[in-house]
Amino acid sequence: MADAVVLVSGGAAVTPFTDPDRASGSGLAAGNTLTALRAHLLERGAAVFTAPARIGDGEVREDAGWQGFADVPVVLPAEMTVNAVGGIDEGGARLAAFLRWLGEEHGFTDVDLVAHSMGGLFSRAAIRHLQGAGPSVHRLLTLGTPWEGSLLGDVLTGEISANDAAGDEGTAQILERSRSYAAENSQGAADQVSRRFLREWNATQVGVLDTIAVTAIGGGHSIFFADAFGLPWERALTWDPEVFAVVDDALQARTGGIR
């Protein structure tokens, strides 16, 4: 395992900065996406940090929304805070700035990144932005990252329509709400998780991960879908003990390459 494990949340997430000893004083310690995974890795003895993220530019002081948090002990500046509804490369630049700060503050020379959903794209962009200026990334683990596009992005580009729900009520609801959700919340993220955008973006990232051990974990759902459709929270990707076992195995692996 590297000097530290850094957890990176995905699109539209609100996540405070946490370190192994400090987290939000009320509500979910590391936000509704990363709290359970952080707790698990701390129990395993890892030096775990969460990268701050929010909806829009600014600092993370609280999340007054669903299953949020408050009383954040350390508030980092906006330039180190990922805009979780912004563009991939902008988010990557801010994540890279956070990783540089983390390396300087704690003397880390290398880190492992564990990223949920769009956080995997932010992480890949951050690795490119680091370019040797900051701690090296030893491993990248991604949980449900839409490497080749997502439902939301493909709805916005017209590659998927309401007809593709094939009569499934839950899917139809998602498709119907996608455009209004993007209009209300996205500052570039929704457009950039389409197959159309990522085909071109991925082509520009060739070689970025060549020296990094990568584990991509797919399937599952987020807690947002769990809440909306009555699915069990403990089977959401960042809350599922079976997923945690795969993460543990990948962090302890000695071999490189892509899994």
Side-chain angles (χ1 to χ4, degrees), residues 1 20 39 73-74 82 85 87 132 138 146 167 175 203-204 217 233-234 241 257:
M1 193 177 294
V74 179
V82 175
V85 294
H138 189 204
L175 294 177
T204 69
I217 302 171
W233 269 42
E234 65 272 16

Side-chain angles (χ1 to χ4, degrees), residues 37 40-41 44 141 217 237 240-252 259:
L37 180 55
H40 169 79
L41 291 172
R44 301 284 290 179
L141 284 70
I217 302 171
L237 274 172
D240 189 340
E242 291 186 19
V243 174
F244 296 170
V246 179
V247 171
D248 290 343
D249 178 63
L251 289 175
Q252 296 297 330
R259 306 174 64 195

Side-chain angles (χ1 to χ4, degrees), residues 68-175:
F69 56 84
D71 303 319
V72 176
V74 179
V75 177
L76 295 180
E79 56 266 27
M80 296 183 198
T81 302
V82 175
N83 177 357
V85 294
I88 296 169
D89 288 310
E90 174 195 353
R94 294 188 179 191
L95 177 58
F98 167 73
L99 293 173
R100 291 189 192 100
W101 172 82
L102 197 65
E104 293 169 0
E105 186 77 5
H106 295 275
F108 296 148
T109 59
D110 61 359
V111 298
D112 291 332
L113 301 182
V114 181
H116 175 241
S117 190
M118 195 173 179
L121 300 173
F122 293 142
S123 295
R124 190 175 181 184
I127 292 166
R128 191 189 75 247
H129 282 291
L130 284 172
Q131 293 293 317
S136 61
V137 176
H138 189 204
R139 294 182 179 86
L140 171 62
L141 284 70
T142 64
L143 312 178
T145 292
W147 292 112
E148 295 185 341
S150 70
L151 186 67
L152 175 59
D154 290 345
V155 167
L156 295 181
T157 61
E159 294 192 44
I160 292 178
S161 71
N163 294 331
D164 294 306
D168 181 79
E169 184 178 347
T171 303
Q173 288 181 36
I174 294 170
L175 294 177

